[in-house]
Amino acid sequence: MDLTERRGNLMGKKIVVITGSPRKNGNTDRMVAAFTEQAQKNGHEVVLFNAATSNVGGCHACETCFKSGKACTYDDDFNTIAPDILEADGIVFATPTYWYSFPGQIKNVIDKLYSFCVAEKPIANKDCALIACCEEHEVEVMDSLKQPFERIAALVKWNVVGEVLVPGVLEVGAVDQTDGCAQAADLANKF
Ligand SMILES: Cc1cc2nc3c(=O)[nH]c(=O)nc-3n(C[C@H](O)[C@H](O)[C@H](O)COP(=O)(O)O)c2cc1C
């Protein structure tokens, strides 16, 4: 390993964490806090974007992405995070499960990733990860988040560094009775 490579490995990365829970300090937020703390300890910059408390509408499929100068012609909060997503070395989706799927607000952000494809922006070659939780006790409940996440990553050529899937958590703070936060912190070591 030469000096450049070593320096490269030691350099802090920019990681965008897109969260999907409207519940303040809920199970997703707790895992994101553990992830963020460890990532920052490791010298990375973490940019948080809470899709659930932001105003992001659905994709209109107008295919006029970036023609206005902004990612989405239908200007909303996606346009505030889009430049960070483009610039990031890593992307994390952190979300509860709603009806065996992504909550609508974070799904809107995912749908608007389409803008980078339409406008042929350089979106490939990022590390990515999924943090998810659900009430039911079977981890397979989160298959419907895991599968699209993995297919999206494959399509846009992102490298999946890890997935933290925590079943059996309903109430705020239930994740503290699991190893979810420890797993989320460990996930930060993979970037
Ligand atoms: C609208 C809604 C739909 C939900 N759907 C499911 C579901 O399909 N399966 C499940 O196991 N849990 C479901 N849950 C439970 C949440 O996934 C669970 O409470 C999770 O811990 C919430 O995470 P948070 O504290 O980060 O918001 C649902 C909760 C809500 C509010």
Side-chain angles (χ1 to χ4, degrees):
M1 187 188 282
D2 67 18
L3 184 65
T4 330
E5 268 181 90
R6 260 188 283 137
R7 200 181 291 132
N9 287 344
L10 289 173
M11 261 171 47
K13 293 178 178 166
K14 177 168 180 164
I15 304 171
V16 171
V17 181
I18 302 165
T19 66
S21 174
R23 256 198 328 192
K24 235 182 160 179
N25 203 25
N27 298 314
T28 305
D29 283 3
R30 285 166 198 246
M31 290 192 281
V32 167
F35 174 89
T36 302
E37 190 185 336
Q38 186 60 39
Q40 287 172 340
K41 260 190 209 155
N42 294 349
H44 302 314
E45 178 196 357
V46 176
V47 178
L48 294 173
F49 182 78
N50 189 338
T53 56
S54 301
N55 171 35
V56 180
C59 173
H60 290 251
C62 63
E63 307 213 345
T64 61
C65 322
F66 283 94
K67 294 228 159 74
S68 68
K70 294 180 179 177
C72 185
T73 308
Y74 292 83
D75 196 15
D76 62 28
D77 291 341
F78 179 77
N79 286 337
T80 66
I81 194 63
D84 292 305
I85 294 174
L86 262 179
E87 215 181 82
D89 306 292
I91 308 286
V92 178
F93 296 101
T95 184
T97 305
Y98 280 6
W99 289 109
Y100 306 100
S101 191
F102 284 97
Q105 297 97 322
I106 193 169
K107 181 61 164 53
N108 281 350
V109 175
I110 292 170
D111 287 354
K112 286 199 180 198
L113 296 177
Y114 186 57
S115 59
F116 302 124
C117 304
V118 169
E120 296 181 2
K121 295 290 175 186
I123 188 81
N125 303 319
K126 300 181 191 297
D127 287 333
C128 67
L130 174 67
I131 297 174
C133 59
C134 71
E135 169 192 356
E136 290 165 77
H137 290 269
E138 302 79 31
V139 75
E140 294 76 19
V141 166
M142 289 169 282
D143 279 355
S144 43
L145 282 71
K146 181 179 154 66
Q147 284 175 3
F149 164 72
E150 290 172 2
R151 295 202 73 141
I152 290 163
L155 187 87
V156 298
K157 299 189 170 59
W158 291 352
N159 169 45
V160 177
V161 298
E163 295 174 349
V164 174
L165 305 172
V166 183
V169 294
L170 173 61
E171 305 297 346
V172 167
V175 74
D176 294 346
Q177 309 306 315
T178 75
D179 65 352
C181 291
Q183 281 195 64
D186 190 46
L187 182 65
N189 296 327
K190 297 180 177 154
F191 281 84

